Amino acid sequence: MRVLVIEDDREVAAYVAKVLTEAGHLAMIAEDGTDGLVMATSEEFDVLVVDRMLPRLDGLALIQALRASDCRVPTLILSALGEVTDRVKGLRAGGDDYLAKPFAATELLARIEALARRSSGRTASETALRVGDLEIDLLTRSASRGGRKIELQPREFRLLEFLARNAGTVMTRAMLLEGVWDYNFDPQTNVIDVHISRLRRKIDRGSDRPLIHTVRGAGYVIRDGDAPP
C-alpha cells in the first residue's frame, strides 16, 4: 500500500512513516499543503494522511481542492483539534476519517488499512457483504446467517454493516461512535456495548461459531474464526 503523509511536523511525519513502513507499507512525505496537493494529484496513492494545519495550503483547503478535481483517494485527517465541531468540519470538507492527536500507532494503522480496504473492495456493483455464513444485503438492508433471516433495527444494521466493511479489524469505541453514531454520544457512554450485545445475540443465536468478538481493552471485531489476542 502506498500512503502519502502530508505533515509539516517532521517528528510526527517520521513517526507515521515508521509505523507504516514497519507494517510493510510504502510511505512518502510532503511537508506543506501545496507540495502535498501536487504529489497527490500527480502520483498514485492508496491513502492520504493529511494534517489539518499545514503551511502554504491548509489541510481542509487541500482536501477540498482534491475533491473538486475528482480525486477520490481515501483521506485520513490528523489534527490536534479534536472537538466535535472540528471533526465534523473535516468530514464535511471531504475527509473520510478523522484522528485527533495524540494517537496510538495501532489505531492509526487500523484506520489507514480500513480506508484502503474499503476503497479497494467497494465497487458500484457491490450489493452484499459476507463474513463466514453471514450475508448482508445492502440493497434491501437485510441480513441472514446460514439461511436464517435476522431482524435488525436501522441502527443495528448500520452497526453490522460498519463492522462487516472492516471485517478482521478491531474497531475501537471511538471508531464505532464516529462511523455509526456521527459523534452524537460521549465516548464513555455504554450505548455501544448495549447495541453490540443485542446485535451479537441476534447474529450468533443458534450458532456454535460466534462472529462478533470483544477484544479486551481495545474494542470489537467481526470475523469468521477466533478473536485476535
Side-chain angles (χ1 to χ4, degrees):
M1 177 171 61
R2 287 171 52 87
V3 180
L4 175 60
V5 181
I6 309 174
E7 168 66 69
D8 64 314
D9 186 318
R10 293 186 177 182
E11 289 187 5
V12 174
Y15 176 68
V16 174
K18 180 175 181 289
V19 170
L20 288 164
T21 301
E22 290 181 346
H25 306 303
L26 175 64
M28 299 183 68
I29 297 174
E31 295 186 350
D32 64 61
T34 301
D35 287 348
L37 180 61
V38 171
M39 291 178 66
T41 53
S42 60
E43 300 183 45
E44 294 290 330
F45 293 100
D46 299 294
V47 176
L48 306 179
V49 177
V50 180
D51 180 36
R52 179 163 175 174
M53 294 182 287
L54 291 166
R56 299 178 69 192
L57 181 67
D58 74 78
L60 298 192
L62 184 158
I63 294 170
Q64 289 173 329
L66 287 172
R67 300 311 184 225
S69 66
D70 204 32
C71 175
R72 300 300 170 190
V73 179
T75 301
L76 170 65
I77 299 173
L78 292 182
S79 179
L81 304 175
E83 296 299 321
V84 172
T85 54
D86 297 316
R87 299 198 298 267
V88 170
K89 285 180 182 177
L91 296 174
R92 286 179 173 169
D96 298 284
D97 199 357
Y98 196 110
L99 184 59
K101 301 175 181 178
F103 49 83
T106 51
E107 183 172 2
L108 170 70
L109 185 60
R111 286 174 181 253
I112 291 173
E113 291 179 339
L115 284 176
R117 186 168 55 252
R118 291 202 300 271
S119 176
S120 63
R122 185 180 298 169
T123 65
S125 61
E126 181 183 53
T127 61
L129 300 171
R130 290 179 176 80
V131 181
D133 59 350
L134 172 68
E135 296 188 12
I136 303 170
D137 190 318
L138 301 177
L139 295 180
T140 63
R141 310 295 286 176
S142 61
S144 63
R145 185 172 184 190
R148 174 179 62 86
K149 186 177 180 180
I150 302 169
E151 297 293 338
L152 297 173
Q153 297 298 318
R155 183 74 68 178
E156 292 172 337
F157 185 89
R158 286 184 61 189
L159 177 58
L160 179 61
E161 179 185 358
F162 188 80
L163 288 169
R165 287 193 183 278
N166 296 281
T169 298
V170 178
M171 295 287 104
T172 67
R173 285 174 175 78
M175 294 164 78
L176 291 171
L177 282 172
E178 294 170 8
V180 181
W181 276 268
D182 301 322
Y183 312 110
N184 291 328
F185 293 90
D186 186 299
Q188 301 304 315
T189 182
N190 70 344
V191 65
I192 290 177
D193 305 282
V194 171
H195 276 76
I196 286 285
S197 179
R198 292 174 181 169
L199 185 60
R200 178 183 279 134
R201 286 198 299 269
K202 293 183 177 183
I203 297 301
D204 293 337
R205 179 171 59 86
S207 175
D208 57 359
R209 291 188 0 259
L211 293 179
I212 300 177
H213 305 273
T214 300
V215 182
R216 292 188 181 278
Y220 300 96
V221 61
I222 187 168
R223 58 182 291 165
D224 186 22
D226 296 333

